[in-house]
Amino acid sequence: MEVYRADEPKPLYRVLDEEGSPVGPVPDLAEDRLVGMYRGMVLARTFDERALNLQRQGRIGTYAPFSGQEAAQIGSFAVLEKDDWVFPSYRELAGLIYHGLPMERALLYSMGHPDGAKVPEDSRMFPVQIVIASQLLHAVGAGWACRLKGERSVAVSYFGDGATSEGDFHEALNLASVFSVPVVFFCQNNGWAISVPVSHQMRSATVAQRAVAYGIEGIRVDGNDVLAVYEGMLRAVDRARAGEGPTLVEAVTYRLGPHTTADDPTRYRDEEELKRWREQRDPIVRFRKFLEKRGIWSEEQERTEWERARRMVDEAVVRAESYPKADPSFAFEHVYALMTPDLSNQRDEWRARASRREGMQ
Amino acid sequence: MREMTMIQAIHEAMKMALESDDRVMVLGEDVGKNGGVFRATEGLQAHFGPDRVVDTPLAESAIVGAAVGLAVAGMRPIAEIQFLGFIYEAMDQIAGQAARIRFRSGGQYSAPIVIRAPFGGGVRTPELHSDSLEALFLHTPGLKVVMPSNPRDAKGLLLAAVRDPDPVLYLEPLKLYRAFRGEVPEQWYEVPIGRAQVVIPGQDVTVIAWGPTVPVAVRAARSAQEAWGHSCEVIDLRTIAPMDTETLVASVEKTGRVVVVHEAVRSGGVGAEVAARLAESAFLSLAAPMVRVTGYDTPYPPPAIEDAWLPSVDRVVEAIHRVAAF
Ligand SMILES: Cc1ncc(C[n+]2csc(CCOP(=O)(O)OP(=O)(O)O)c2C)c(N)n1
């Protein structure tokens, strides 16, 4: 009897080793693009560390840090064009900022300001998704629309390893496969879904191999190697644009921080594991070493770059903190295109109360 | 007597349930090693082992659907949905499956499961973590819906839910987890599902609340008494399905005036059901139109504006005065 078994897991696709030396063909990218990706990573890390601090100081609310995942995000976003659809989870701020999301918006979101969920009007990003895996289906729909309308654009959804356990993940891959939708499913496998390690999330050896069951292509790349991520994503996006259908990309990476600022990873995570990733596999260090070996990056540039990033983040913090206060009537205005009579009565009631309250203060 | 918080009472109830019956098991996301994101299941896995306190993959429909099968086959699962807002993922398994298996099988099968889920606002959560969705489940025949508002009831209702032969949705107000301590008996006791409690007796106005709005109603009743001299009877519904109409009617026959307070959006909310029942059964006792103080008919708003959205003590006091002065 023939039985089906999972393939032997394929090796991780890598371009750079931990020391930043090429172990595979280096993508043909102009110097300024390489440097631009590096800058994106530095800015992202600076932003993330600052946001964590702001949360500890009570200046923003719950925040989901992404440090450690910069290569997975910047490497994949670097392939996208402005007209491509992006359906992120809550952990893609590095990529979104690189793609044009103003940093103060990201901060406003964590401040609980309604405008924090707004994306640039000339973009096709969705607001961050809180429900795990729901956005995969939206990406399928958007990609499908692109195909129906004869657009060149593709749709990408971002999600974690935990999301691959949800029904929506499986429904999305299946639907996209059946209709050969130009969509990329980009999984940042960061090892953990809150406290559950990926080994307890699924028994298949890799996320990427799950593609096989749906009749689509799967790719597994080193998520801490920005060039490997770039190559993997490029293949997936090119296939989608060429009408070859969906691809599942697994970027193997690691979340260095807590799941969110409300989480305490010391309860479930081994210090040694964290140390290994932090000290030996930092995606920013690896890429910097590569740039240095290429002779296109110096210590001097390194210093100025981190300073510049700090300044940019400082400015974003100022912009976020001096942003006009949320208008209470926001809640009513965006429920329907045309406010219903019920809602407009409720809004008036609310306004009256809000102004009375202000008067009392 | 000992005093504890609501989350401690919930924890204690689960521990006692696991101890008292080998068939009881706890399953959900992060409930094992991490002890739950709110520490409700803290230490239980270490104590009872990973077969009885189970970290599941991230899949709500799987958690509830498997719980149905587990229960049908003799286990007594307590399933956790990490936040009520994510229960939509399990909607079919709850409303379409668990709640109707007894009916569908003509009484041959049943799904004695407990589904726990935190919910409710005022704690600055990200989107969908605060939504009050109890009305969806009041509208689901076959399901019981329990919403404690204090530590004592939390333990007693959870123990009753574990022993209940039908599926019970047990909703835990986030804001009250650690808001105050209350007396909690040490032994096993059950607070009957389906019975409301008169929290404060009064003569002039009946204020009906459940879950997170009970403390709001109590504070409002006190300040209405102080400010206007209105004597309010505050009733904690405790379970919304089945609903204790009798206690409500008895109160309204005495006071003739009603304010209903809930966090969920107004239209089609449980307050509408309460009002309908009172209109049906106590119409002639009513001396004023009933008033609802609720969330507005919008999605739960972002943290920066949630305080102005939630039913506040002020709003309830005003409503009390309005019906009292009618
Ligand atoms: C449907 C749903 N269930 C539960 C949650 C609570 N929750 C938020 S993040 C998370 C873990 C997600 O892990 P993963 O998909 O690996 O993404 P990561 O956070 O690691 O980026 C959980 C359980 C949620 N947001 N949505």
Side-chain angles (χ1 to χ4, degrees), chain B residues 137-203:
Chain B
F137 300 99
L138 172 66
H139 203 70
T140 303
L143 193 65
K144 295 181 177 176
V145 185
V146 174
M147 298 173 80
S149 72
N150 62 65
R152 188 182 180 284
D153 286 352
K155 178 172 169 186
L157 284 166
L158 186 48
L159 292 177
V162 171
R163 288 275 166 89
D164 199 282
D166 285 306
V168 178
L169 180 62
Y170 179 93
L171 304 178
E172 306 170 3
L174 268 174
K175 191 164 184 180
L176 303 186
Y177 266 161
R178 296 182 171 85
F180 57 90
R181 291 170 176 273
E183 290 189 346
V184 178
E186 242 164 278
Q187 76 283 10
W188 181 292
Y189 63 94
E190 294 178 23
V191 171
I193 292 176
R195 216 151 317 141
Q197 187 182 31
V198 177
V199 185
I200 303 178
Q203 298 300 319

Side-chain angles (χ1 to χ4, degrees), chain A residues 90-91 130 132 161-163 190 192-193 259, chain B residues 29 60 82 86:
Chain A
Y90 45 80
R91 211 183 293 286
I130 294 292
I132 301 295
D161 41 297
N190 67 3
W192 295 88
H259 167 71
Chain B
E29 294 154 14
E60 290 75 13
Q82 205 161 67
F86 307 137

Side-chain angles (χ1 to χ4, degrees), chain B residues 64-289:
Chain B
V64 179
V68 170
L70 283 159
V72 160
M75 303 303 287
R76 288 294 172 270
I78 304 175
E80 179 180 297
I81 299 296
Q82 205 161 67
F83 287 88
L84 185 60
F86 307 137
I87 209 159
Y88 291 118
E89 301 282 334
M91 209 64 199
D92 169 57
Q93 287 300 338
I94 296 172
Q97 307 300 325
R100 56 200 301 152
I101 183 63
R102 183 184 296 282
F103 188 77
R104 172 148 51 97
S105 66
Q108 276 183 307
Y109 289 109
S110 65
I113 65 181
V114 179
I115 302 165
R116 297 177 38 245
F119 77 102
V123 285
R124 309 258 181 280
T125 63
E127 196 189 355
L128 270 162
H129 288 69
S130 287
D131 295 38
S132 295
L133 306 175
E134 69 266 17
L136 297 177
F137 300 99
L138 172 66
H139 203 70
T140 303
L143 193 65
K144 295 181 177 176
V145 185
V146 174
M147 298 173 80
S149 72
N150 62 65
R152 188 182 180 284
D153 286 352
K155 178 172 169 186
L157 284 166
L158 186 48
L159 292 177
V162 171
R163 288 275 166 89
D164 199 282
D166 285 306
V168 178
L169 180 62
Y170 179 93
L171 304 178
E172 306 170 3
L174 268 174
K175 191 164 184 180
L176 303 186
Y177 266 161
R178 296 182 171 85
F180 57 90
R181 291 170 176 273
E183 290 189 346
V184 178
E186 242 164 278
Q187 76 283 10
W188 181 292
Y189 63 94
E190 294 178 23
V191 171
I193 292 176
R195 216 151 317 141
Q197 187 182 31
V198 177
V199 185
I200 303 178
Q203 298 300 319
D204 304 336
V205 178
T206 299
V207 183
I208 302 163
W210 49 92
T213 53
V214 173
V216 177
V218 168
R219 282 204 297 279
R222 296 217 170 99
S223 85
Q225 171 88 48
E226 267 168 41
W228 314 95
H230 305 315
S231 156
C232 298
E233 178 145 300
V234 178
I235 297 180
D236 177 354
L237 220 42
R238 294 202 291 201
T239 75
I240 61 164
M243 193 181 285
D244 182 358
T245 316
E246 223 177 287
T247 298
L248 302 181
V249 169
S251 177
V252 173
E253 282 174 348
K254 180 170 56 171
T255 64
R257 295 162 203 273
V258 180
V259 173
V260 191
V261 190
H262 62 69
E263 258 189 41
V265 296
R266 181 174 307 171
S267 296
V270 176
E273 177 65 24
V274 168
R277 284 176 190 229
L278 290 172
E280 282 168 352
S281 306
F283 186 71
L284 295 178
S285 305
L286 288 170

Side-chain angles (χ1 to χ4, degrees), chain A residues 8-10 189 202-210 220 250:
Chain A
E8 281 294 297
K10 304 274 186 291
N189 175 355
M202 57 179 211
R203 278 294 174 92
S204 49
T206 68
V207 170
Q209 76 195 58
R210 294 177 157 204
R220 187 161 185 262
E250 174 186 12

Side-chain angles (χ1 to χ4, degrees), chain A residues 64-65 69 89-92 129-134 159-164 166 187-196 201 255 259-260, chain B residues 29-30 37 58-60 81-83 85-87 89 127 129:
Chain A
Q69 303 184 211
S89 86
Y90 45 80
R91 211 183 293 286
E92 275 76 48
Q129 175 66 258
I130 294 292
V131 181
I132 301 295
S134 298
F159 51 95
D161 41 297
T164 68
E166 291 280 10
C187 177
Q188 290 183 75
N189 175 355
N190 67 3
W192 295 88
I194 309 189
S195 71
V196 179
Q201 194 68 241
R255 139 164 84 75
H259 167 71
T260 68
Chain B
E29 294 154 14
D30 305 289
V37 295
L58 210 179
E60 290 75 13
I81 299 296
Q82 205 161 67
F83 287 88
F86 307 137
I87 209 159
E89 301 282 334
E127 196 189 355
H129 288 69

